[in-house]
Amino acid sequence: MAKGDMGIDDERSLMSEYPDFYSHGKKPIHEVLSQHALTTPQKVALNFYGREMNYGELDHLVNRFAVYLLQLGVKEGDRIALFLHNCPQYMIAHFAVQKIGAIVSPCSPSFKAMELSYQISDMVAKIVITSDTLYPIVTDIQEDSPLQHIIVTHYGDLLPGDPSFHCPDELLQERRATPFAHDFFTAIEQVTDEQVEYTVFPSVALEDVSLLVYTSGSTGRPKGAMLSYGNALFKTAASAMANEVLDGDRILAVMPLCHIAGMLMGMTIPIYTGCKVVLLYRFDPVAVAEAIAEEKCTWWYSTAPMNVAIMQAIPSGRYNWSSLTTNVCTSFGIQLTEDIANRWRAYTSGTPVYEAAYGLSETHTADTYMPRHAIKWGTQGIPIYETEIRIVDLQTGENLPVLQDGEIVVRSPGVFKGYWRNIDATKKTLRDGWVYTGDLGRIDSDGYLTLIGRIKEMMKVSGFSVFPEEVEALLMHHPAIAQVAVIGIPDEKRGEVVKAFVVCKSSKEDQKVVESDIIEWAKENMASYKVPRYVEFREQLPMSSAGKILRRLLIDGAS
């Protein structure tokens, strides 16, 4: 059967009967990296604006940095914070920390001092690895933190003299002074090959915690989800299989590595499969276009706003993107619709784009995948290998039949071990191996999951349940709207009513749109209880570093 003729039943058969799921054996990802370094040491592992690093060199740097951390007194189970933008140093540090049995905890590089202070203190981090540009934020919190050491790198240390594609100005700046800190590459250079050879690294077990990912904190303070080596291995192998990633692929990595989806798609999948990753510091339309064309990238994980931004900024046909065969995408900020997908396919002369997955930090993300040959728009796809998804009643917890809305619960080998130092939250979320996600959704007769919204963000309008994502998806059909976010605000008669925050498209015609235009259009296109009673126009919406709309900031501003 040709792949183009496959349907949903064929996809399920492929996932359930896969003959060699763990193609490298059941071992942590850092051991898979070492295996590649032995078998294909000269194969290029990553490209950073033209600076290439092969698997042998990458593993060599990981080993040296791991020895240095041991020399600093890092022990198994110690928490090490990574406070960095995308760069090769991030990957080196991530695998080095896990190689010695310590725990990696990513911190968003968009954090300000109070946010960083909370996470560093909550995890009781022994060391933070950061950049010279972020170093001042670390020094602001250091005195009242548990930190014993600060290790600093300069993003330009691994840039080529003449970058191959458009490079952000901040990477080209001179190194900033960082007194009282260890230098990343000076530390590595101090470790000899002999020291590496005679170091006995700890023997880690797949069930050991290796990653502490803090949730977004949409319901209270962020919580650290404890994920194991085995969680990462399972979800990496399952996602690589579902997305058909092979060792000959060239993956473009733009999403933040500190985000669980960016980590999976841009770091662990490339290392696991042994393919090449083209790593960008951040999203830039020109850099993405040049990287895909020059490096002949075959695979890209994007967000819908990225695709739209590229189509707006760069004329179609300027670059040859014939190599790009796979573009999985997440609807952050802008809903990925069939219309956008059709425009993208025409713009790129044939590249398909479709929803990537549903997932959360507590399951190492990607609990579903979208079968590329059986796409259902508006859904998040079907459960990935060895993953069970149920919809349960919010009050009784009983299983609900197809097409009924309820809480999404998930069980798989990717499920986390609980929240760091938070027994009550763990008991509430993790029950008999099932993660109660706090998300509302439904499953159709073909097994496709549709995400409706967060339970905590659900609005009650005149007794009707209204979900922000549903109203946002409907409003995105308005020809003048580029982005939209919806919240509920108190109302004496209805309990709550809908308020929409709208970013208009840039044309002069769209700039003439007023509040009443949006409301009248909504009345014609959705149930009355879903219609926004208020519309506020914004130039931009508050976003997380991963591109998620931060509705809680809109709610706080409206209260």
Side-chain angles (χ1 to χ4, degrees):
M1 176 183 298
K3 280 191 174 183
D5 298 329
M6 289 177 65
I8 185 62
D9 291 337
D10 302 305
E11 289 276 355
R12 283 205 184 89
S13 177
L14 174 68
M15 292 294 284
S16 63
E17 298 176 11
Y18 197 76
D20 188 20
F21 182 64
Y22 293 111
S23 56
H24 304 288
K26 296 188 72 173
K27 62 184 67 172
I29 305 293
H30 67 264
E31 292 185 14
V32 176
L33 168 60
S34 296
Q35 185 174 324
H36 290 317
L38 286 173
T39 57
T40 56
Q42 298 304 316
K43 185 175 182 180
V44 175
L46 67 89
N47 179 302
F48 188 59
Y49 296 92
R51 165 58 160 95
E52 292 193 334
M53 183 180 297
N54 61 40
Y55 275 94
E57 182 183 4
L58 178 58
D59 188 60
H60 176 74
L61 293 173
V62 167
N63 288 333
R64 284 196 170 203
F65 193 60
V67 171
Y68 183 75
L69 292 174
L70 290 173
Q71 291 174 349
L72 288 182
V74 178
K75 297 179 177 60
E76 293 178 61
D78 284 344
R79 279 74 57 202
I80 309 298
L82 300 189
F83 185 39
L84 290 166
H85 289 87
N86 288 3
C87 59
Q89 295 94 311
Y90 191 107
M91 297 178 69
I92 294 166
H94 176 99
F95 291 117
V97 170
Q98 293 187 339
K99 190 178 186 77
I100 60 175
I103 300 171
V104 171
S105 186
C107 301
S108 169
S110 65
F111 276 176
K112 303 303 181 185
M114 285 193 296
E115 296 163 309
L116 181 65
S117 177
Y118 170 79
Q119 186 167 330
I120 292 287
S121 297
D122 188 71
M123 75 171 92
V124 195
K126 193 170 190 175
I127 292 175
V128 63
I129 301 163
T130 188
S131 70
D132 56 332
T133 55
L134 296 172
Y135 177 73
I137 300 175
V138 178
T139 58
D140 281 349
I141 70 159
Q142 184 180 12
E143 185 175 348
D144 297 323
S145 78
L147 291 172
Q148 297 178 16
H149 301 284
I150 303 172
I151 301 176
V152 177
T153 192
H154 178 59
Y155 295 123
D157 284 344
L158 285 179
L159 277 180
D162 183 19
S164 298
F165 26 91
H166 187 258
C167 188
D169 290 339
E170 53 263 45
L171 295 189
L172 303 174
Q173 296 175 356
E174 292 185 2
R175 179 191 299 270
R176 300 184 185 183
T178 55
F180 312 112
H182 306 259
D183 177 74
F184 189 89
F185 281 106
T186 300
I188 286 177
E189 290 168 359
Q190 290 175 353
V191 177
T192 66
D193 290 340
E194 186 177 26
Q195 287 175 316
V196 173
E197 183 180 353
Y198 287 101
T199 296
V200 178
F201 293 106
S203 178
V204 300
L206 287 176
E207 61 268 21
D208 292 344
V209 175
S210 65
L211 185 63
L212 191 61
V213 177
Y214 276 72
T215 62
S216 61
S218 57
T219 55
R221 299 304 298 269
K223 303 178 288 293
M226 298 185 290
L227 295 159
S228 69
Y229 293 97
N231 294 150
L233 172 65
F234 163 74
K235 201 51 73 76
T236 299
S239 299
M241 179 180 68
N243 290 289
E244 302 175 41
V245 183
L246 303 174
D247 59 0
D249 276 311
R250 295 171 295 279
I251 294 179
L252 177 65
V254 177
M255 291 288 286
L257 297 180
C258 64
H259 184 260
I260 190 68
M263 184 188 307
L264 176 72
M265 303 292 194
M267 185 166 67
T268 61
I269 285 180
I271 294 300
Y272 181 78
T273 58
C275 69
K276 175 180 178 179
V277 60
V278 179
L279 182 66
L280 297 185
Y281 169 82
R282 60 171 169 79
F283 172 73
D284 173 81
V286 175
V288 167
E290 292 178 346
I292 292 174
E294 294 186 22
E295 295 300 320
K296 295 181 172 54
C297 295
T298 60
W299 202 96
W300 181 33
Y301 169 49
S302 66
T303 64
M306 293 178 183
N307 297 75
V308 172
I310 288 173
M311 289 190 285
Q312 291 175 342
I314 300 171
S316 178
R318 175 172 292 181
Y319 297 94
N320 180 358
W321 282 13
S322 60
S323 63
L324 191 64
T325 59
T326 303
N327 182 185
V328 295
C329 181
T330 296
S331 297
F332 284 162
I334 295 177
Q335 184 74 23
L336 177 63
T337 61
E338 189 171 8
D339 175 64
I340 291 176
N342 289 336
R343 287 164 49 201
W344 181 254
R345 185 185 286 271
Y347 174 84
T348 58
S349 300
T351 302
V353 61
Y354 47 91
E355 198 72 38
Y358 166 80
L360 54 159
S361 297
E362 289 85 347
T363 60
H364 207 290
T365 198
D367 298 305
T368 67
Y369 78 105
M370 183 66 72
R372 68 169 69 197
H373 310 295
I375 295 170
K376 270 196 179 183
W377 297 103
T379 78
Q380 280 64 50
I382 62 175
I384 209 163
Y385 181 75
E386 284 192 2
T387 296
E388 300 172 80
I389 297 179
R390 296 190 287 130
I391 305 297
V392 301
D393 185 271
L394 295 179
Q395 277 72 46
T396 67
E398 297 296 320
N399 289 346
L400 293 174
V402 297
L403 298 178
Q404 288 202 22
D405 300 346
E407 183 173 7
I408 302 169
V409 297
V410 180
R411 182 168 67 181
S412 79
V415 166
F416 76 142
K417 298 176 76 69
Y419 293 115
W420 169 255
R421 301 198 308 181
N422 196 328
I423 296 173
D424 291 340
T426 299
K427 289 180 178 178
K428 183 178 179 180
T429 300
L430 188 59
R431 307 177 213 169
D432 297 323
W434 291 88
V435 171
Y436 284 69
T437 67
D439 289 332
L440 287 155
R442 70 176 73 96
I443 294 176
D444 67 18
S445 57
D446 290 322
Y448 283 76
L449 174 71
T450 297
L451 174 65
I452 299 171
R454 291 287 299 171
I455 292 174
K456 294 293 184 180
E457 293 174 345
M458 181 184 73
M459 296 165 271
K460 276 289 186 180
V461 180
S462 299
F464 292 95
S465 297
V466 179
F467 307 106
E469 285 87 351
E470 182 183 13
V471 179
E472 290 163 1
L474 292 168
L475 287 172
M476 281 300 296
H477 289 286
H478 190 290
I481 294 179
Q483 288 181 284
V484 62
V486 162
I487 65 169
I489 60 174
D491 182 83
E492 289 185 3
K493 294 183 178 180
R494 300 176 181 86
E496 284 183 293
V497 292
V498 176
K499 180 175 181 178
F501 295 82
V502 169
V503 177
C504 282
K505 295 177 181 176
S506 58
S507 71
K508 292 182 179 179
E509 188 66 29
D510 295 332
Q511 291 174 3
K512 296 178 183 178
V513 174
V514 296
E515 180 181 24
S516 59
D517 295 330
I518 303 294
I519 293 174
E520 289 304 314
W521 182 92
K523 288 179 179 179
E524 295 176 2
N525 290 278
M526 61 184 77
S528 60
Y529 60 89
K530 298 177 186 176
V531 172
R533 300 292 169 174
Y534 305 95
V535 176
E536 181 177 324
F537 294 95
R538 294 276 186 101
E539 291 187 1
Q540 61 183 13
L541 299 176
M543 298 277 194
S544 71
S545 61
K548 288 185 179 179
I549 293 175
L550 299 175
R551 290 194 191 89
R552 68 179 184 275
L553 297 183
L554 297 174
I555 293 170
D556 291 344
S559 60

